[in-house]
Amino acid sequence: MSSIPNGSGPELEKFPDAPPSIEVTAPEEPPHAGLRSLNHYKRKLPTWRYSLRQSILPLIRWETPYLAWMQDKMRSQTLDTYFAITANAGTHTFFMVVLPILFWCGHTGLGRGMVHILASGVFWTGFIKDMTSLPRPLSPPLHRITMSGSAALEYGFPSTHSANAVSVAVYALFALHSPECKLQYSTKLILEVVSYSYAVSIVLGRLYCGMHGFLDVIVGSIIGALISIVECVYTDIIDDYMYTSTWAAPAMVALVIIVLIRIHPEPADDCPCFDDSVAFAGVMIGVEIGAWHYASTGFAWNHPVPGTVPFDLAHIGWAVTIARVLLGVVVIFAWREVMKPTLLKTLPHLFRVIEKYGWILPRKFFLPASEYKKIPARLKVDNVMPSVSDLPGLLTSIRHPGRGRSVSVGPQSAADAYETLAYREKRRRDSLTNTELESAISPPRSPSTSSTKRDYFSTGNADKDGAVSQVSGISASLGAANTGNLPTPAQSRVGSYEQMMGQGHVMISPATPDEKDDDDDDNAEIFVGQQNELEEKEMFSRLEKPRVRYDVEVVTKLVVYTGIAWLAVEVNPILFELLGLGMGNVRQLY
């Protein structure tokens, strides 16, 4: 991978019409490490999950050249900046900052509904991502434009950004058209346009930025719409059950969520999807428990929904409202800064005791407590909510919104590298198959050279009209395969993008080779380049390798985010009243 800040530099020049070619020396026998990488997902996934993955993968490969063609037609510096910035409006961090403010400003029903749809969207898209372990569309030919380095480390199918954006838009449209909405027609119309524009901008931006394909955003959008429809249709029934029941109702919700966390599929690679799912699962637990208990106190209003935080801007004023928000943010950050290091320091001792009795059910890519002595201080365990130390950088990105944008060309994760290797092997096999077919139907010709060098990316054969016949992917269907018809300019362009897929020098070097263990390459160090292998090695040496993840992080994250949600929906509203930042003795008027 190569990364160029602000979208400048030679890497950002548009691809030439003529597909580049890379000449490699074909060995007599494929290297053993290469064979192991090609079978990576077959060995790592259960049979049914591998079969599902292989049935969807051709669609992702097929659409990639068309995505590159679309990106090439649309690319501009303005759109690069716009879509990179607006993508932040679909991130977990954005919603984690906005959602508590909805509760503190009296929009409790809206806040709970948003938590339900967003937590469900993040969890279920992450669930499917890890289950299918499908890569993002290949780069090259795509350029990946992003302001978040961690996003590219996740699998691509389906798109969580699209699920979040569509779920929010659908939920907003339901609310605007509900009988309870008393807004003027012009205001409703403006908010409808904003809702549609928000969803379209996020979804289109994922395609433009090269982060997702058509299939990713379509399935993600469907998931988001379905989640919002279920929430809007059944929310009254759920509220009646939750707030007229005993403590067993929130306890049952928490138990179901914990079970879902436990059965979350193991990914084939070290993917952070599970971390985000755990964080939002904790938020859901905290909201349900906190809102249920807060509704039974004398501080809450029961209209429009049980557990509503008392708020009236006309009575409180802007100064008190801002003070409420600032106090609430300070309390949440204080909780996070105290609880995270405390749990990371104390839980390993408990986990080691439990592990002796065989009660721990470890997940892949998480180091068990028996294999480490202590966890490094200031460990960054998630990307969902920034820590206090991250705030200066966050404020800088707000003041200079385009500064953090980067454009990357080349694989950025192990999943990208494996897909690059797999596609190169596919092209090689297609080339050999095509050669065998031509030999069977063509008269023998004398070879002009005995060289063993073979250009894997220029495997076409000129027909009588000069067109080049390709043997892989979509190229054979572009009208140039032994038909005597020249492809259209658009077809030639798409075909050139297809030839860029899988290009580059790829080398797998096991960090700790072990001749006795030929099936375990979890520690393999992967270098994937475009042009120069040495240059690419140097680039990869500068990349941040996946950090060690510890078993206690799962429980730590669950406790911390459950506490954050509980503070937002119950503790902070009570503090507001006790500190004179609430409604005081003013009761709710119906």
Side-chain angles (χ1 to χ4, degrees):
M1 182 203 73
S2 57
S3 180
I4 302 155
N6 301 323
S8 62
E11 284 287 342
L12 303 185
E13 295 177 2
K14 297 184 177 180
F15 294 116
D17 290 332
S21 62
I22 299 178
E23 188 176 69
V24 299
T25 302
E28 296 297 328
E29 294 182 0
H32 180 62
L35 290 178
R36 288 171 58 194
S37 67
L38 296 174
N39 291 327
H40 173 72
Y41 293 99
K42 188 173 184 179
R43 291 184 292 106
K44 297 297 182 182
L45 297 176
T47 303
W48 70 272
R49 285 174 57 188
Y50 177 74
S51 300
L52 176 63
R53 181 184 189 274
Q54 293 304 105
S55 65
I56 301 174
L57 185 58
L59 294 175
I60 295 175
R61 292 175 174 176
W62 173 83
E63 68 183 2
T64 299
Y66 296 99
L67 290 166
W69 178 83
M70 183 187 78
Q71 187 186 60
D72 185 41
K73 290 294 183 182
M74 296 177 63
R75 278 295 293 278
S76 70
Q77 288 288 336
T78 301
L79 289 179
D80 281 9
T81 302
Y82 171 77
F83 283 120
I85 293 175
T86 55
N88 292 327
T91 61
H92 316 329
T93 302
F94 174 79
F95 291 117
M96 287 295 291
V97 171
V98 172
L99 291 179
I101 298 177
L102 293 177
F103 287 94
W104 303 334
C105 293
H107 302 290
T108 301
L110 177 61
R112 282 209 299 259
M114 293 282 283
V115 167
H116 293 163
I117 63 176
L118 293 171
S120 300
V122 170
F123 182 87
W124 289 114
T125 54
F127 191 98
I128 297 173
K129 281 181 179 181
D130 281 351
M131 182 176 68
T132 55
S133 299
L134 284 162
R136 297 179 183 272
L138 276 177
S139 170
L142 284 167
H143 291 175
R144 289 180 181 167
I145 308 164
T146 182
M147 296 184 70
S148 172
S150 62
L153 301 179
E154 296 183 3
Y155 296 119
F157 175 83
S159 168
T160 302
H161 274 77
S162 300
N164 287 344
V166 172
S167 64
V168 169
V170 171
Y171 188 81
L173 293 173
F174 263 93
L176 290 172
H177 289 279
S178 68
E180 291 80 11
C181 184
K182 306 301 181 183
L183 297 175
Q184 296 181 357
Y185 174 78
S186 58
T187 305
K188 284 186 178 181
L189 183 61
I190 293 173
L191 292 177
E192 282 188 33
V193 172
V194 171
S195 299
Y196 284 117
S197 301
Y198 169 72
V200 171
S201 181
I202 296 296
V203 172
L204 180 60
R206 304 319 286 161
L207 299 173
Y208 176 91
C209 292
M211 300 300 292
H212 287 285
F214 300 114
L215 184 66
D216 300 339
V217 300
I218 290 172
V219 175
S221 299
I222 292 173
I223 292 173
L226 290 176
I227 289 173
S228 283
I229 291 172
V230 170
E231 172 67 22
C232 294
V233 172
Y234 295 102
T235 184
D236 292 335
I237 298 175
I238 295 172
D239 282 350
D240 289 341
Y241 169 73
M242 286 293 300
Y243 298 103
T244 59
S245 301
T246 63
W247 59 268
M252 181 61 69
V253 171
L255 180 61
V256 170
I257 292 174
I258 291 173
V259 170
L260 288 174
I261 292 173
R262 184 63 197 92
I263 66 174
H264 194 286
E266 295 275 11
D269 307 291
D270 193 354
C271 174
C273 299
F274 178 70
D275 302 59
D276 298 337
S277 297
V278 171
F280 271 85
V283 170
M284 180 83 89
I285 293 174
V287 165
E288 296 306 323
I289 294 177
W292 175 85
H293 188 266
Y294 181 63
S296 64
T297 67
F299 295 97
W301 286 353
N302 292 322
H303 184 81
V305 296
T308 296
V309 178
F311 180 82
D312 183 358
L313 182 60
H315 176 79
I316 292 179
W318 279 106
V320 175
T321 299
I322 294 173
R324 283 162 65 106
V325 172
L326 293 177
L327 175 62
V329 170
V330 169
V331 170
I332 286 178
F333 272 96
W335 163 268
R336 187 181 187 274
E337 292 299 307
V338 171
M339 286 304 300
K340 188 189 79 170
T342 300
L343 291 172
L344 291 178
K345 185 176 181 179
T346 58
L347 283 179
H349 303 289
L350 177 62
F351 271 52
R352 292 185 191 108
V353 174
I354 297 176
E355 191 176 345
K356 292 181 180 179
Y357 296 94
W359 294 345
I360 291 294
L361 298 175
R363 286 185 64 87
K364 231 188 265 185
F365 308 112
F366 284 84
L367 195 65
S370 60
E371 298 184 14
Y372 61 87
K373 292 183 179 180
K374 65 177 183 177
I375 297 176
R378 310 303 302 172
L379 178 69
K380 188 176 180 65
V381 300
D382 64 75
N383 297 305
V384 178
M385 177 170 281
S387 61
V388 173
S389 60
D390 296 328
L391 291 180
L394 183 63
L395 294 175
T396 300
S397 65
I398 293 174
R399 291 196 302 268
H400 307 283
R403 182 173 294 179
R405 173 172 56 87
S406 65
V407 180
S408 301
V409 180
Q412 295 175 274
S413 66
D416 290 340
Y418 285 123
E419 172 61 5
T420 300
L421 287 164
Y423 199 82
R424 289 188 66 185
E425 176 64 11
K426 175 185 181 299
R427 295 189 68 104
R428 188 187 70 84
R429 291 177 179 176
D430 289 346
S431 175
L432 294 176
T433 301
N434 184 72
T435 302
E436 292 174 358
L437 290 175
E438 289 181 349
S439 299
I441 63 177
S442 302
R445 291 175 296 179
S446 300
S448 57
T449 177
S450 58
S451 173
T452 60
K453 291 188 176 181
R454 193 180 293 154
D455 186 349
Y456 289 151
F457 304 104
S458 297
T459 56
N461 296 283
D463 61 21
K464 62 182 181 180
D465 289 331
V468 177
S469 302
Q470 304 299 336
V471 296
S472 174
I474 64 167
S475 300
S477 63
L478 293 180
N482 297 321
T483 62
N485 298 321
L486 288 173
T488 65
Q491 289 174 334
S492 297
R493 192 68 170 170
V494 171
S496 69
Y497 288 129
E498 193 256 352
Q499 292 222 350
M500 296 176 191
M501 295 170 61
Q503 289 185 20
H505 295 276
V506 182
M507 183 179 69
I508 295 185
S509 176
T512 53
D514 188 352
E515 297 179 356
K516 298 180 180 179
D517 187 7
D518 291 337
D519 295 330
D520 187 5
D521 62 338
D522 287 340
N523 295 323
E525 187 174 9
I526 302 170
F527 298 97
V528 184
Q530 282 184 278
Q531 301 294 337
N532 185 281
E533 182 177 330
L534 180 61
E535 178 187 354
E536 205 61 32
K537 285 183 182 180
E538 182 180 355
M539 284 191 231
F540 266 72
S541 66
R542 298 177 182 176
L543 293 179
E544 182 180 356
K545 300 293 189 296
R547 67 171 180 83
V548 176
R549 295 199 284 175
Y550 303 91
D551 52 358
V552 297
E553 289 184 38
V554 177
V555 175
T556 298
K557 196 184 301 290
L558 195 63
V559 172
V560 168
Y561 281 93
T562 298
I564 287 175
W566 172 60
L567 291 170
V569 303
E570 181 177 17
V571 176
N572 279 342
I574 293 177
L575 281 177
F576 297 155
E577 297 294 333
L578 296 178
L579 297 177
L581 299 176
M583 294 292 291
N585 295 325
V586 177
R587 308 313 301 166
Q588 185 178 19
L589 299 177
Y590 296 96

